[in-house]
Every structure is written in C-alpha cells, then in structure tokens.
Amino acid sequence: MSVNTYETLNAKVGRRSFLKMSAIATAFGFTSSFASTNATRSATEEEIKNPFPGSKIVKSICTACSVGCGVLAEVQNGVWVRQEVAQDHPVSLGGHCCKGADMIDMVRSEVRLKHPMVKRAGKWQRISWDEALGNIATKLESLRQNDGPDSTMFLGSAKFNTEQSYYYRKFAAMFGTNNIDHQARI
Ligand code: SF4
C-alpha cells in the first residue's frame, strides 16, 4: 500500500474500512491491478504534510455509551475526515474502547439509520417521528389490553444516564410490569 493511495482513498473511507479493503484486496491479489488503473497519483509533499487543508479540530464525545469518552474530530468543509483520541479528556484520558475508535465510520456510514422507517409491502419507507411514536404506543396498548403487561419486556440502553434510567424504570412500572433489564448486562 503506498502513501498516496492511502491518502487519496482516506478522503472517502475511514481508516478502519480502508484497512479492511486493503486486506481483502491483498487476499485476492487485486493490489497490482488496482494500482495500475491510473486512478491515483502521487501526493505532493504539501498534501502528505497537510492532507485536509483548512480543516479544524472539533472536540466531541463518543455517543455509543454513556461513559462519554473524548473524541477529536477533524472536520473539513463540514465533513468529518479524521479522528483522534482526546488526550486531555477528564473521563477517558486519551483512551477509547473499540466502539469509540470506530466512531467516524459509524457517523459516515452510508447505511446509517437517520429517520424512522417502516416496511410496507416489502419496501422501506420513511415516516415522521409522530407516526413512529403513535405506532409504538398503539402496539404497546394493544399488547397490554390483549395479553397483559407481562407480555412485554423493557430493555434499557447503555446510552442512558442515571436520570434516564430512573424514568425508564418508572415507565415500566406505570405500564404494569417488572420485566426490565439493561442491554449491557446481556
Ligand atoms: S462506547 Fe467505548 S469509547 Fe464510546 S463512550 Fe463508551 S467506553 Fe467510551
């Protein structure tokens, strides 16, 4: 893998995805034919030193769980292009788990779910939040009326903070069941 190939593709895919693609290409012997397509050029010295001119560093946090580890996002023209750990973050102190290290790929994924969707006649359709919440409420009420509150289980999220866990527990109790747990235990 040459530096210029990596830098050119890095603008479109995250580092982890690129490494996966490289491994597959090597395994199937694609590397030499890929390199001979003239699809790439050598990076200039300036591009190697500064591949994303005009970019800025935005301090953010990983949203995969409620620990909230620090992430430094390098953003160019509104696009997240590279990621670093935040060494000075008071909680994570420059550390990440594998989910946080992959945050850029998750945010930029083409299959990322951004809106409520429903499958009708075999096709996924976008619906409004009001419609989605209405559908869920109708289904929950129907389960409670027809099969009783213990026909359901409430499963909390690792993203919940203390207050969210508190009111989620209250919601299950209001619904009438003790069937409540947390996905991180499972
Ligand atoms: S998922 Fe991992 S990196 Fe992200 S906040 Fe939780 S512990 Fe930190």
Side-chain angles (χ1 to χ4, degrees), residues 128-172:
S128 70
W129 281 103
D130 281 348
E131 185 179 353
L133 290 171
N135 289 349
I136 293 166
T138 303
K139 182 70 179 175
L140 278 172
E141 189 52 27
S142 153
L143 285 169
R144 183 159 67 166
Q145 293 293 335
N146 298 325
D147 303 301
D150 282 337
S151 64
T152 61
M153 178 174 180
F154 289 78
L155 196 57
S157 163
K159 290 188 178 194
F160 281 4
N161 59 27
T162 308
E163 290 74 19
Q164 289 169 321
S165 300
Y166 177 82
Y167 66 64
Y168 198 65
R169 175 72 189 95
K170 287 282 184 192
F171 183 75

Side-chain angles (χ1 to χ4, degrees), residues 62-69 96-101:
C62 169
T63 58
C65 87
S66 56
V67 171
C69 296
H96 273 159
C97 77
C98 56
K99 287 181 282 183

